[in-house]
Amino acid sequence: MPIQLTSAALERMQRFLANDPSAIGVRFGIKRTGCSGYAYTVDLARDVAENDSVFDLDGIRVLVDGKALPFVEGTEIDYRRQGLNAAFVFHNPNVTGECGCGESFTVDAKD
């Protein structure tokens, strides 16, 4: 499976989608940023773009832009609470390095 969700991530995404009936799923991707190069993005999806890959993960539609898929393929998305903080956590087998603060990551050149 190109993308996987833990039960905690699945539950969190179900709550997001239940609060916004106009959303058709969750868009997962990356953007260039930070000291290492890329950061993950997770947003509600409103439509399916021509180059999107769409995965049905236990009833959640996860959309990934075709350009981002090679960078995130195989990623497990988790959701964790630690003290007062809560966030999605990503376990990506493609990562070759991360910045010290954990906000961005590097992968071998794929673009």
Side-chain angles (χ1 to χ4, degrees), residues 19-71:
N19 288 331
D20 191 339
S22 67
I24 63 164
V26 175
R27 182 170 296 285
F28 173 53
I30 59 172
K31 64 180 180 179
R32 287 190 177 273
T33 189
C35 50
S36 286
Y38 297 98
Y40 298 104
T41 60
V42 179
D43 297 301
L44 293 176
R46 306 269 178 231
D47 56 14
V48 178
E50 185 176 322
N51 62 341
D52 282 344
S53 292
V54 181
F55 306 98
D56 185 335
L57 305 176
D58 295 317
I60 299 291
R61 288 175 80 189
V62 177
L63 295 81
V64 181
D65 179 277
K67 290 181 181 177
L69 189 58
F71 295 90

Side-chain angles (χ1 to χ4, degrees), residues 16 53 108:
F16 274 138
S53 292
D108 287 337

